[in-house]
């Protein structure tokens, strides 16, 4: 008799559990599909950080794809005057008054002829006058650059050093060695740069110690 009563009790319980389970499963699947659709739509509306580039370059994080960088200060006359005044100023130290930021345009050219353009702020970099040089009558300097939009390989702030100021190959070797040993080290490599269309110089590119560097490592 007990078994007979148990049978009549267990059937409603099974049905109740069954009906409560399957609707929840359908709702869950529906929510999942809706989320995928929203994600897909959001991806379509995300502005590409560069309109013409090979995505594989950035997925590989490989700086060797960079052919060169073109730097154009929007106030080229003011930039050149600032360089001249810093160069002729007395003393061995570059005064802070000459480290003004200049609005600029940067264009990174890649080996497949694609390119990326950025708005940026550029200033003289360095404490000592060895960061200021003159070549063929043109004064140039090490540069401190901050991209005000986008990034290059995840980097938004970096420096372009005149190679001699960082012992040239030694700087790149040391940074690469530390990276290979597992230490946090800034990405460092040579890059050709053209400044205001009139001057070409080989620099050492080195990312600044910022959160992007920590995230990459």
């Amino acid at each position: 008799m007990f078994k007979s009563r148990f049978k009549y009790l267990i059937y409603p319980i099974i049905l109740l559990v069954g009906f409560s389970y399957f609707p929840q499963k359908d709702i869950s699947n529906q929510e999942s599909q809706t989320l995928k659709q929203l994600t897909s739509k959001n991806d379509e509306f995300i502005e590409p950080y560069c309109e013409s580039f090979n995505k594989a370059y950035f997925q590989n994080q490989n700086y060797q794809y960079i052919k060169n960088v073109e730097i154009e200060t929007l106030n080229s006359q003011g930039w050149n005057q600032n360089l001249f005044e810093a160069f002729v100023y007395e003393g061995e130290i570059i005064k802070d008054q000459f480290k003004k930021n200049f609005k600029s345009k940067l264009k990174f050219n890649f080996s497949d002829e694609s390119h990326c353009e950025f708005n940026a702020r550029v200033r003289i970099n360095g404490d000592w006058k060895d960061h200021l040089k003159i070549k063929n009558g043109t004064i140039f300097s090490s540069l401190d650059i901050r991209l005000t939009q986008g990034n290059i390989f995840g980097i938004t702030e970096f420096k372009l050093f005149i190679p001699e100021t960082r012992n040239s190959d030694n700087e790149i070797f040391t940074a690469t060695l530390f990276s290979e040993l597992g230490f946090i080290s800034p990405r460092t490599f040579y890059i050709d740069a053209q400044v205001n269309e009139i001057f070409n110089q080989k620099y050492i590119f080195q990312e600044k110690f910022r959160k992007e560097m920590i995230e990459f490592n």
Side-chain angles (χ1 to χ4, degrees), residues 171-186 217:
E171 180 72 12
I172 296 176
F173 173 78
T174 302
T176 304
L177 177 63
F178 273 93
S179 179
E180 291 295 323
L181 292 175
F183 293 97
I184 293 177
S185 180
N217 282 273

Side-chain angles (χ1 to χ4, degrees), residues 29-135:
N29 287 336
Q30 187 177 4
E31 289 176 348
S32 178
Q33 291 299 322
T34 303
L35 181 60
K36 287 180 180 179
Q37 291 174 2
L38 288 173
T39 303
S40 176
K41 288 181 180 179
N42 286 336
D43 288 342
E44 291 175 1
F45 288 109
I46 292 174
E47 290 285 342
Y49 105 98
C50 181
E51 293 182 356
S52 56
F53 72 100
N54 186 328
K55 291 182 180 179
Y57 290 2
F58 300 93
Q59 291 171 351
N60 296 334
Q61 299 285 311
N62 195 335
Y63 63 83
Q64 294 178 349
Y65 292 119
I66 300 176
K67 185 177 179 181
N68 64 2
V69 59
E70 299 175 31
I71 303 169
E72 178 188 358
T73 55
L74 302 187
N75 180 7
S76 59
Q77 183 176 355
W79 171 258
N80 291 329
Q81 181 178 346
N82 185 65
L83 278 175
F84 176 77
E85 291 176 356
F87 185 78
V88 299
Y89 195 87
E90 295 181 356
E92 297 298 320
I93 296 176
I94 301 175
K95 297 292 185 180
D96 289 340
Q97 68 193 71
F98 302 119
K99 297 180 181 179
K100 296 176 287 188
N101 283 293
F102 287 80
K103 291 182 179 180
S104 306
K105 295 282 187 181
L106 264 66
K107 180 180 178 183
F108 283 89
N109 296 306
F110 301 100
S111 56
D112 71 342
E113 304 305 321
S114 63
H115 64 273
C116 281
E117 297 183 9
F118 304 98
N119 293 322
R121 291 187 177 275
V122 178
R123 68 174 178 84
I124 295 174
N125 177 76
D127 295 324
W128 302 92
K129 285 286 190 71
D130 60 339
H131 288 276
L132 287 166
K133 300 286 185 183
I134 186 167
K135 184 166 94 173

Side-chain angles (χ1 to χ4, degrees), residues 155-169:
I155 300 170
T156 59
E157 297 185 52
F158 58 92
K159 297 187 179 186
L160 297 183
F161 291 109
I162 296 173
E164 303 88 74
T165 64
R166 308 296 288 185
N167 293 319
S168 301
D169 294 347

